[in-house]
Amino acid sequence: MNGSGTPASTRGSLPRVVAASLIGTTVEWYDYFLYGTAAALVFGKLFFPNSDPLTGTLLSFLTYAIGFAARPLGALVFGHFGDRIGRKKLLVVSLLLMGGSTTAIGLLPTYDSIGAAAPVLLTVLRLVQGFALGGEWGGAVLLVSEHGDQRRRGFWASWPQGGAPAGNLLAAGVLSLMTTVQSDADFLAWGWRVPFLLSAVLVAVGLWIRLAVDESPLFQQALAAQRSRKKVERPPLVEVLRDHWREVLVAMGARMAENISYYVMTTFVLTYAVTHAHFSKQTALNAVLIASAIQFALIPLFGALSDRVGRKPVYLVGAVGVGAWAFVFFGMVDTRSFGSLVAAVTVGLVFHSAMYAPQAAFFSELFATRMRYSGASIGAQFSSVAAGAPAPLIATALLKDYGSATPIAVYVAIAAAITVLAVLCGRETRGRDLAEVAEEEGHPGQEAQAGELGKPAAA
């Protein structure tokens, strides 16, 4: 046990666990965002060539959105087994699934080669990506949260969240490099495949690092306690939905503005900047690159801030800010100035970081150890079906129907209002001792746990 009452890691330091989670999530998000970026730039032409440009993009975003449909299934399956056999084993499986499907996309024939089978195969591989990512997030943040101490949990748990901007940075960077050194014809012919094939190398590196850390000590403690009781336990999903459905709803609502704003301001913006504001693909990618690099640096700072002032205040600043910024965002892009484009995306991601950074600790602290993987994953991934999945699709459709970005800004603002309401309805969880929660699991009643929800540990 360490000084805070949390079991200490048996191999390596907390920074090693953080590095394993960060690198793994970076690889997974690289794979996932690579698809989204390619959907915005090339998939419409390669897999839906018989449509006009905006409709082709709309169809490619539809396959992009389908991947989100598999994320809740991944959350259920990975959450169940992650709460039964461990976090680490499931994280290895998710990494292999994601890397394999991404590499396969790089080898996929296009519509010109095999006709309608091409978009069908693309959709199937996207579903595998979604399934894998649905199980990845919960395990990665829990592995860090359950190794660390309560005083700095927001800071340490925010590092795996940095995998999202790091993965986006890597995906946009590789695609930007390919578009720089190649002609448009070569990029469409074969250059777009290179970033997908590189995923195989990244997965090998991530797997090597992820296998070098031990299982969560809190999970091992909870598993030992469960075995000592020698009683049949209900499936984690049943316990989550029966005893923690309020916390699940809080997590789902908290995700709405975070998820929608991110995909609008990093994925849809590529389409908007190129087709509506007439930036080059290279310029649009560079803007996302710069903003993602800044966001990567900001996430641990906001995580640390949540340790000082609480998860809720930081989260609320981000939600309110992104809802207001949406009305400024598109106007700045429309100026057709590169500086304004960079500033628009960067400020948007600053507000997003204020939500995303404390989210890992916030969701982890909502649930008890024996159901934490299921609870955090369900809350995070089920909301993605209604939030991130259709966000680029809805934004593209609104732009096509109205020829204006104002309805898109209203869409983001509505999501922000939902998130503000959800966070206000939740309890502050900063300072919750996860080791105490693990010990409480030996008692039959759930009411005591619910009463402890959000109660700060004694100083």
Side-chain angles (χ1 to χ4, degrees), residues 16-66:
R16 179 182 293 182
V17 177
V18 171
S21 292
L22 172 59
I23 292 174
T25 54
T26 297
V27 173
E28 297 244 13
W29 282 112
Y30 166 80
D31 292 348
Y32 209 70
F33 286 134
L34 185 60
Y35 189 104
T37 305
L41 298 179
V42 298
F43 280 174
K45 299 174 183 177
L46 295 172
F47 293 92
F48 306 97
N50 295 327
S51 306
D52 66 80
L54 199 55
T55 301
T57 300
L58 195 62
L59 291 171
S60 67
F61 275 147
L62 181 59
T63 64
Y64 172 81
I66 285 174

Side-chain angles (χ1 to χ4, degrees), residues 143-326:
L143 198 62
V144 176
S145 295
E146 293 178 348
H147 272 87
D149 67 273
Q150 68 206 40
R151 293 181 299 105
R152 303 188 68 195
R153 186 178 298 124
F155 171 74
W156 289 116
S158 70
W159 279 99
Q161 300 291 75
N168 200 8
L169 181 66
L170 193 58
V174 174
L175 282 172
S176 178
L177 176 63
M178 297 303 296
T179 58
T180 299
V181 301
Q182 289 187 302
S183 66
D184 287 345
D186 286 341
F187 182 72
L188 283 173
W190 61 272
W192 67 273
R193 298 181 183 276
V194 174
F196 287 90
L197 297 176
L198 283 175
S199 178
V201 178
L202 296 175
V203 167
V205 174
L207 190 61
W208 173 67
I209 295 174
R210 189 161 273 185
L211 288 171
V213 299
D214 276 335
E215 180 56 81
S216 155
L218 274 179
F219 171 78
Q220 292 174 325
Q221 183 188 69
L223 185 62
Q226 176 184 324
R227 288 172 176 169
S228 68
R229 290 194 293 270
K230 297 180 180 179
K231 58 179 289 188
V232 177
E233 300 282 345
R234 292 190 302 270
L237 173 63
V238 174
E239 295 207 34
V240 167
L241 297 181
R242 194 192 75 167
D243 301 313
H244 291 272
W245 58 269
R246 292 180 182 84
E247 288 77 18
V248 170
L249 290 178
V250 168
M252 290 177 65
R255 284 273 283 172
M256 294 302 290
E258 177 266 307
N259 224 216
I260 288 173
S261 65
Y262 190 77
Y263 289 108
V264 167
M265 294 181 181
T266 61
T267 300
F268 170 74
V269 72
L270 297 175
T271 296
Y272 185 86
V274 172
T275 63
H276 194 77
H278 306 296
F279 285 100
S280 67
K281 290 195 292 278
Q282 181 67 48
T283 300
L285 282 169
N286 287 344
V288 174
L289 273 169
I290 295 170
S292 295
I294 294 172
Q295 184 182 31
F296 180 78
L298 285 175
I299 282 180
L301 299 180
F302 278 116
L305 182 62
S306 76
D307 286 328
R308 296 182 64 87
V309 303
R311 318 297 184 215
K312 288 177 61 175
V314 178
Y315 213 113
L316 288 170
V317 167
V320 172
V322 83
W325 186 251

Side-chain angles (χ1 to χ4, degrees), residues 415-440:
I418 294 172
T419 291
V420 168
L421 179 62
V423 174
L424 288 175
C425 289
R427 298 186 184 184
E428 177 58 61
T429 62
R430 177 177 64 97
R432 190 182 193 199
D433 191 333
L434 299 186
E436 290 180 4
V437 177
E439 292 167 5
E440 287 169 5

Side-chain angles (χ1 to χ4, degrees), residues 365-376:
E365 292 159 346
L366 289 174
F367 304 96
T369 303
R370 70 173 180 272
M371 64 187 77
R372 187 169 292 131
Y373 202 144
S374 296

